[in-house]
Amino acid sequence: MDLGHFDRFDYDASSETVTLGPGQTWRTVYEKLIPTPVTVMGGRVGYVGVGGFLTGGGLCFLTNMYGLASNTVVDYQIVLADGRVLWASEDPELAQAMRGAGYSFGVVTEIVMKALPKPPRVYAGYLLYPADKLEALAKHVEKLTTENTDPRISLILSLFHAPGFGPICCMSPFIAGIEGEDVAEYAKRPEVFGWAWDYGPLNDNSKVVTFEEAAFINEDALHRPDSTTSWQIGGTMLSSFGSSIFTAGASWVANLQARPDGERFNGAGIFYMPFMKNAFTTTSATKGVWPPPGVTTLSAVSVILSQPGSLPGHPEENATLMREGVKAVEEAAQKEGINVVKNYPNYLIRGSEPTDFYDEETLDLLRKLKKKYDSSDMFNKGIRIGQ
């Protein structure tokens, strides 16, 4: 179903909300937000779609400050299988389910979000390093993850195979600046990201930009105009960080490259995104069905495995390879005593089970709502909840 024409954008200053059509990309939304004094919790790259992102959770630049993007959704308008149109807020249980499993009950046609204060400037971009710098960088990331108390700070540390170059390490810092602050000076303090320049980056594209430009930089870095790239992202959610996670991920990437068809996986990588303690704390009004009940701290939360290349023609094989990568990372984490949390719905791998994402109490709720709103199971392309 093509929702491309569902492109509404309306900023209402009086209610401090932004209403969006789900068929847009975040680049389009951010471009429309440029003249306004506000922003919303959206994707960290511009080509990500609005609707799926906001019904599956949504990890953002500002997650340390506001939690998941879906926690900032005020309401979802939904068209049900029988043609009825309703707002999720009419049923508090449905409103909860939409935040983390929203693609299971109908077609979302409008999303109302909280408008948030836009940082005046941000520090963003990326630094590239030889792969042999990964271990040293990971130690700094682990320290920052443990000690950071500033929710304006976030980062992504990754290792991927760069076509024509080989394995390369990337560190993507982010700081939401405040009025009157020299955010570049703050970024380069030793206790923040100052250590990142001690390891001789091959390329430094980090700089002070607008909030919208931060997403555009990441998108431009991932998009290769000389090739057709298809991203498939799987992953696991961890309670903390250990260096063996990257060792396992790097081995998975190397094994893909060693295959006879290894060129098909140029760009494969492992991406690590830590978040602060209590970043996922919610109120009853913004509660979703993910993360699992009681989980408010995922301070080193996500290991994401992605494979660009000519992937759509090999869906079953690709899913198997993705699961192998995730399994390797999870086993490495468990050997270090790191807990594996339920997977993130927006990183669904083909063939995954509902129990990979939700506990039984949550599944009981979702199945009840499925029976109530989609008894014919028309909307079954995501996580197969059943009834």
Side-chain angles (χ1 to χ4, degrees):
M1 183 179 295
D2 184 358
L3 298 180
H5 291 293
F6 288 82
D7 58 356
R8 179 179 175 183
F9 175 89
D10 179 47
Y11 165 49
D12 185 345
S14 62
S15 64
E16 298 183 330
T17 60
V18 177
T19 300
L20 301 175
Q24 305 171 86
T25 64
W26 285 110
R27 173 178 278 271
T28 301
V29 172
Y30 288 142
E31 288 171 345
K32 293 174 180 177
L33 284 166
I34 288 174
T36 77
V38 301
T39 191
V40 293
M41 292 282 282
R44 286 168 294 191
V45 289
Y47 57 70
V48 172
V50 168
F53 183 80
L54 291 175
T55 53
L59 299 172
C60 315
F61 287 125
L62 304 178
T63 286
N64 281 338
M65 298 175 69
Y66 301 108
L68 292 169
S70 59
N71 298 139
T72 67
V73 172
V74 177
D75 213 344
Y76 301 85
Q77 186 185 66
I78 314 159
V79 178
L80 302 176
D82 61 9
R84 286 182 294 153
V85 179
L86 77 160
W87 288 94
S89 58
E90 297 173 29
D91 179 345
E93 289 186 330
L94 178 61
Q96 178 185 349
M98 293 300 297
R99 299 183 178 99
Y103 35 68
S104 301
F105 309 106
V107 178
V108 175
T109 52
E110 277 189 19
I111 303 171
V112 183
M113 302 189 71
K114 294 178 183 177
L116 304 171
K118 185 188 298 183
R121 303 290 279 178
V122 305
Y123 195 86
Y126 55 88
L127 298 93
L128 302 179
Y129 304 86
D132 61 8
K133 303 297 184 183
L134 178 63
E135 184 176 354
L137 290 168
K139 290 179 179 178
H140 286 284
V141 170
E142 182 174 11
K143 186 174 188 293
L144 181 64
T145 299
T146 304
E147 299 178 0
N148 176 40
T149 58
D150 187 347
R152 299 181 298 137
I153 296 173
S154 65
L155 65 87
I156 301 174
L157 181 65
S158 59
L159 176 74
F160 60 93
H161 188 277
F165 187 89
I168 196 165
C169 181
C170 179
M171 208 276 284
S172 302
F174 178 88
I175 302 174
I178 55 178
E179 202 66 50
E181 176 185 54
D182 183 344
V183 69
E185 183 277 330
Y186 182 51
K188 295 183 180 181
R189 292 181 184 179
E191 70 274 19
V192 185
F193 296 121
W195 43 268
W197 287 270
D198 294 338
Y199 295 94
L202 301 170
N203 183 35
D204 178 6
N205 193 37
S206 62
K207 52 192 172 185
V208 178
V209 295
T210 66
F211 182 80
E212 294 86 5
E213 287 171 336
F216 302 161
I217 290 173
N218 284 347
E219 179 178 2
D220 293 342
L222 292 171
H223 176 67
R224 300 198 307 276
D226 60 336
S227 67
T228 300
T229 303
S230 175
W231 289 84
Q232 289 190 2
I233 302 178
T236 186
M237 308 301 279
L238 307 176
S239 63
S240 59
F241 176 72
S243 59
S244 65
I245 292 169
F246 270 101
T247 302
S251 295
W252 176 70
V253 173
N255 290 338
L256 289 177
Q257 295 301 313
R259 289 167 51 109
D261 60 348
E263 289 187 2
R264 181 160 72 90
F265 301 97
N266 280 340
I270 173 172
F271 296 73
Y272 169 72
M273 299 178 295
F275 296 104
M276 287 178 61
K277 293 180 178 179
N278 299 318
F280 300 93
T281 302
T282 60
T283 67
S284 58
T286 62
K287 182 181 178 182
V289 292
W290 194 93
V295 176
T296 60
T297 300
L298 294 170
S299 58
V301 66
S302 183
V303 175
I304 305 167
L305 299 149
S306 61
Q307 296 174 283
S310 303
L311 297 176
H314 309 80
E316 296 297 339
E317 181 188 20
N318 296 332
T320 298
L321 292 172
M322 294 293 287
R323 281 193 290 271
E324 289 175 358
V326 170
K327 182 180 179 181
V329 168
E330 290 181 341
E331 289 179 347
Q334 289 169 334
K335 287 179 180 178
E336 291 198 36
I338 297 170
N339 294 328
V340 177
V341 183
K342 294 292 185 182
N343 287 353
Y344 173 44
N346 275 347
Y347 296 146
L348 170 68
I349 299 176
R350 183 187 181 100
S352 297
E353 295 297 326
T355 51
D356 295 336
F357 305 90
Y358 312 111
D359 64 7
E360 283 301 326
E361 183 178 351
T362 299
L363 280 172
D364 287 343
L365 170 64
L366 296 178
R367 287 165 182 151
K368 181 179 77 171
L369 292 168
K370 188 72 169 173
K371 185 175 182 179
K372 181 177 181 179
Y373 291 110
D374 184 24
S375 59
S376 62
D377 197 26
M378 177 179 289
F379 303 103
N380 58 21
K381 298 302 182 183
I383 299 170
R384 297 297 300 271
I385 293 171
Q387 296 180 33

